[in-house]
Amino acid sequence: MGSPSSNEDVELTWLNVALAFGFITFNVIFSYVFDLGVGVSLLVAATRCVVQLAIVGTLLQKVFETDSPWAVAGIAFLLNFMGTFEIVVNKSKKRHQNMFPSVLFSLLASTIPISIIGVRFAMSITKFWEPSQYIPVVGMLCGSTINGVVVSITYILKEMQENRDRVEMYLAFGASRTEACKPILVDALRIALTPTINQMSVLGIISIPGMMTGAILGGSSVERAAKLQMIIMFFLSASTALASICSAWYAISVVVDSDHRIRQDKIYSKSLYDFPFSLSSWGLSTIVGLWHRMRNAIRRTMRSVYKTWVGGFGKKDDRARSGSGAREERAGLLERGLSYEESPPLG
């Protein structure tokens, strides 16, 4: 006999999404009240979330219906490609020469083998390319790996620019570039892996993670959902470590050349279009330009809506401040001996 409280067949509509969007509105108000300056960023990020997930939901539904391993492979590559795009274009404040192909290789070399081996053996799924099983795993691996790659590369490039004296001293005393850069590499990888370690340490005691929650909401038993979450977390840890090692090692090989010289001219903090290695050779310069223009247009629209929406609050505050100022000015006039009629009227 089924439980009367079962919600397995509840259909979620865009109205439900709009109601949940109200929490973002609360964050925007919170940002305005405390002058955090992140209201527009929150609206842009929320809009991106809605658009991207809507597109992904439509696309994945088609892939699930086809049940083709080639379609699954295409989606896996697309996820890694877009993850690389996000790292190089949006996340990294510092970049190095040939960063895009190196990061793309690092992501593919970590997420694809670990997802195939893990789904086939750790999750005991014979048909590992099953879309409903494989694609979510690859997506989670890409999302977790992005953070580790960004942190490791950013740390290495920053240290090479700000603390190059220590590396130059090691090189001057005859150390190879591997020996001279090892302390920086170790620190970068330690920092990149710290969030994953912290996340694993609190699972089950402090937090119930998203994968386990989704499995429970999907009808799986709590025990199976817990085991599945353990497996996924081990996947994430391995993928983050492997991608961070590959990308960080390549970054060091670029910044310190084969002649053991530090090449700061290969580190860039400026616009992506000024790179000696232009993305035009990959056919991406047009896409990057369109993306930046679209993102700026969304930000301008959100900023105007935000200012219009919170403008009423600002006018009320101005009226309150002007009224308070008038009262203070009247009190000062009375203290100086002026009559009540001579004092300026309240606004």
Side-chain angles (χ1 to χ4, degrees), residues 151-284:
V151 169
S152 60
I153 293 180
T154 302
Y155 180 83
I156 288 175
L157 299 182
K158 180 180 178 181
E159 287 295 310
M160 285 297 183
Q161 283 188 320
E162 298 180 357
N163 300 314
R164 58 176 295 179
D165 294 340
R166 183 176 59 176
V167 178
E168 288 181 335
M169 182 183 67
Y170 289 150
L171 294 174
F173 279 96
S176 64
R177 60 177 174 177
T178 302
E179 296 170 338
C181 298
K182 183 178 178 180
I184 296 178
L185 179 62
V186 170
D187 290 340
L189 296 178
R190 183 183 293 115
I191 295 173
L193 293 177
T194 297
T196 304
I197 297 173
N198 293 338
Q199 186 179 4
M200 282 194 294
S201 65
V202 301
L203 290 183
I205 299 178
I206 300 176
S207 67
I208 299 178
M211 182 67 186
M212 182 176 176
T213 303
I216 294 174
L217 294 177
S220 298
S221 65
V222 178
E223 182 180 2
R224 184 181 185 280
K227 292 178 180 178
L228 183 61
Q229 184 61 57
M230 298 176 199
I231 295 172
I232 295 299
M233 283 306 304
F234 299 152
F235 290 177
L236 298 180
S237 177
S239 179
T240 302
L242 183 57
S244 299
I245 291 172
C246 293
S247 58
W249 181 257
Y250 186 83
I252 288 179
S253 68
V254 170
V255 177
V256 183
D257 61 18
S258 57
D259 295 327
H260 308 292
R261 298 174 301 178
I262 297 180
R263 299 292 302 275
Q264 286 194 345
D265 58 304
K266 295 184 178 182
I267 302 176
Y268 312 101
S269 300
K270 49 189 176 181
S271 174
L272 191 66
Y273 303 105
D274 296 328
F275 277 14
F277 175 80
S278 174
L279 289 183
S280 60
S281 62
W282 284 69
L284 294 175

Side-chain angles (χ1 to χ4, degrees), residues 10-321:
V10 173
E11 183 70 22
L12 296 179
T13 65
W14 287 109
L15 177 60
N16 300 107
V17 177
L19 292 174
F21 194 87
F23 294 106
I24 299 297
T25 306
F26 170 79
N27 288 342
V28 173
I29 297 175
F30 185 83
S31 172
Y32 172 75
V33 171
F34 290 93
D35 197 21
L36 301 180
V38 296
V40 176
S41 298
L42 283 169
L43 291 176
V44 172
T47 303
R48 282 189 59 185
C49 177
V50 172
V51 174
Q52 291 168 177
L53 287 178
I55 295 174
V56 168
T58 304
L59 182 61
L60 291 185
Q61 183 63 37
K62 300 296 183 181
V63 174
F64 288 178
E65 292 173 357
T66 60
D67 195 22
S68 170
W70 294 107
V72 174
I75 292 295
F77 178 82
L78 179 62
L79 292 175
N80 283 276
F81 183 86
M82 295 306 297
T84 304
F85 186 90
E86 185 72 14
I87 291 173
V88 178
V89 176
N90 291 332
K91 299 297 184 182
S92 299
K93 296 181 179 180
K94 294 182 181 294
R95 305 177 181 90
H96 61 78
Q97 192 176 24
N98 296 337
M99 183 172 174
F100 193 94
S102 66
V103 172
L104 179 60
F105 173 80
S106 300
L107 290 183
L108 291 173
S110 60
T111 59
I112 301 302
I114 290 175
S115 60
I116 292 176
I117 297 174
V119 172
R120 173 61 183 86
F121 297 102
M123 296 177 64
S124 299
I125 299 177
T126 304
K127 187 181 175 182
F128 69 86
W129 63 86
E130 181 71 29
S132 61
Q133 301 292 332
Y134 184 77
I135 293 178
V137 172
V138 175
M140 286 185 291
L141 293 182
C142 289
S144 176
T145 303
I146 285 175
N147 296 326
V149 172
V150 170
V151 169
S152 60
I153 293 180
T154 302
Y155 180 83
I156 288 175
L157 299 182
K158 180 180 178 181
E159 287 295 310
M160 285 297 183
Q161 283 188 320
E162 298 180 357
N163 300 314
R164 58 176 295 179
D165 294 340
R166 183 176 59 176
V167 178
E168 288 181 335
M169 182 183 67
Y170 289 150
L171 294 174
F173 279 96
S176 64
R177 60 177 174 177
T178 302
E179 296 170 338
C181 298
K182 183 178 178 180
I184 296 178
L185 179 62
V186 170
D187 290 340
L189 296 178
R190 183 183 293 115
I191 295 173
L193 293 177
T194 297
T196 304
I197 297 173
N198 293 338
Q199 186 179 4
M200 282 194 294
S201 65
V202 301
L203 290 183
I205 299 178
I206 300 176
S207 67
I208 299 178
M211 182 67 186
M212 182 176 176
T213 303
I216 294 174
L217 294 177
S220 298
S221 65
V222 178
E223 182 180 2
R224 184 181 185 280
K227 292 178 180 178
L228 183 61
Q229 184 61 57
M230 298 176 199
I231 295 172
I232 295 299
M233 283 306 304
F234 299 152
F235 290 177
L236 298 180
S237 177
S239 179
T240 302
L242 183 57
S244 299
I245 291 172
C246 293
S247 58
W249 181 257
Y250 186 83
I252 288 179
S253 68
V254 170
V255 177
V256 183
D257 61 18
S258 57
D259 295 327
H260 308 292
R261 298 174 301 178
I262 297 180
R263 299 292 302 275
Q264 286 194 345
D265 58 304
K266 295 184 178 182
I267 302 176
Y268 312 101
S269 300
K270 49 189 176 181
S271 174
L272 191 66
Y273 303 105
D274 296 328
F275 277 14
F277 175 80
S278 174
L279 289 183
S280 60
S281 62
W282 284 69
L284 294 175
S285 59
T286 303
I287 298 177
V288 173
L290 291 174
W291 165 252
H292 278 290
R293 285 194 290 270
M294 182 178 67
R295 185 180 63 178
N296 293 335
I298 293 175
R299 285 181 173 176
R300 286 193 298 268
T301 303
M302 291 299 179
R303 188 176 289 110
S304 62
V305 172
Y306 173 73
K307 290 181 178 179
T308 303
W309 180 51
V310 303
F313 295 102
K315 292 179 180 178
K316 292 180 181 178
D317 292 341
D318 292 339
R319 288 195 294 269
R321 284 194 293 267

